[in-house]
Amino acid sequence: MHIPDGFLDARTWIGATVAGAGAVGYSLKKTREVLEERQIPLLGMIAAFIFAAQMVNFPVAGGTSGHLIGAVLAAILLGPWAAGLVITVVIMVQALFFGDGGITALGANVLNMAFFATFSGYYAYRLLSRLFGGGKARATGTFIVTFLASWFSVVTAATAAALELAASGTVPLGVVLPAMLFWHVIIGLGEGVITAVAVSFVTSLRPDLQSRQLAGPSTDP
Amino acid sequence: MGERREGAFIPRLKSRGPAPIPVKKGTLVILVAALALAAVLSPLASAKPDGLERVAEDKGFLERAGSFSTSLVPDYLMPGVGNEALATSLAGVSGTVLTFLLAYGVARLVRKRGIEAGDRVR
């Protein structure tokens, strides 16, 4: 859901840029406090993976496609603040080098996908883990929780985008919000499956990441 | 040096420059997977409009989309490459590598300050 230039009015995109820059600045500070040296290569590789995965649009119903955001994937493996940085880097590369997402809309896209999606999904993950995690079917429980949290992150980001579009006067809220929700409720299913599968795959290779997940990632805000 | 076991404590070496950061095989696989994804799957990606574009089309504001700058690799097609699939692959791979380098660089810069605050051992 990369917003191009021209969809947002000046007040909205300027406000989003200020808020986005603030969020990035704060993420740098928080990440500095907790990032371990051994996580540095992982951060780079997850960013690379998310960039690549975002290129692979998958078809959903009715002549539309979706793509991964990867916010919850990054948050589970790196914690939410580092995840915010990772997605921000991805979005900036996309906008600045590939014209995917506007330059003026960069702040809004960063806010929506690097922060709103990340934190909504991360907190959903933690809450659901506490409610349903543990027990005998731990792997299945984790898979389902990851799926739901990732789905939720997409719906949140889509809602934020709809609010920005409405605030810009581009389209009425009553029109854009149901439409965005419709498609992203569906697209979120793809995000859920991809994220849950990817997390299982990564944690099977790096079991040391699994305990981090269950105990709660180190970057607790 | 010997093989590094998964999960083994890796002793920090005293060296003049920044200590090499150990990269476990499991982590490297992620980058390899990313490159494979970009090279092989990106040309096969659906060309249909994404959720936002679809809403913009349906609700009549798509034509507002403009661009205030020209990008190096517009639409993920590497310029000067005739074959569209190949152009997409190249765009994907270059973007993946670039993203890796930038994210890694940011992480290293961020971490550098962290060292002054004292290392944590987990």
Side-chain angles (χ1 to χ4, degrees), chain A residues 5-7 28 32 35-37 40 44-45 47 49 51-52 55 57 62-65 94 97-100 104 175 206, chain B residues 27 34 45-46 48-51 54 59 61 64-66 68 72-73 75-76 92 95 99-100 103 110-111 113 122:
Chain A
D5 289 320
F7 277 10
L28 287 167
R32 179 175 305 152
L35 190 71
E36 298 170 35
E37 190 166 314
I40 294 174
M45 300 207 199
F49 182 82
F51 176 90
M55 280 191 73
N57 283 47
T64 309
S65 69
Q94 290 170 328
F97 292 93
F98 298 93
D100 188 4
T104 58
V175 171
R206 285 279 297 268
Chain B
T27 316
S46 171
K48 298 264 170 24
D50 75 11
R54 180 63 198 263
K59 305 305 176 188
F61 60 91
R64 292 199 190 206
F68 292 134
L72 275 174
V73 188
D75 285 329
Y76 296 99
T99 304
F100 171 76
V110 161
R111 171 65 190 168
R113 305 280 184 87
R122 262 191 194 262

Side-chain angles (χ1 to χ4, degrees), chain A residues 49 52 56, chain B residues 29-43 89 92-93 96:
Chain A
F49 182 82
V56 186
Chain B
V29 165
I30 300 173
L31 182 59
V32 170
L35 291 167
L37 206 56
V40 176
L41 285 190
S42 66
S89 268
V93 170
T96 302

Side-chain angles (χ1 to χ4, degrees), chain B residues 16-91:
Chain B
R16 291 224 170 79
I21 299 169
V23 179
K24 294 185 183 171
K25 238 187 302 196
T27 316
L28 211 51
V29 165
I30 300 173
L31 182 59
V32 170
L35 291 167
L37 206 56
V40 176
L41 285 190
S42 66
L44 303 172
S46 171
K48 298 264 170 24
D50 75 11
L52 174 60
E53 283 170 323
R54 180 63 198 263
V55 170
E57 267 175 36
D58 290 347
K59 305 305 176 188
F61 60 91
L62 185 61
E63 68 273 5
R64 292 199 190 206
S67 185
F68 292 134
S69 66
T70 44
S71 44
L72 275 174
V73 188
D75 285 329
Y76 296 99
L77 291 170
M78 189 62 74
V81 177
N83 181 288
E84 196 173 302
L86 186 59
T88 308
S89 268
L90 288 173

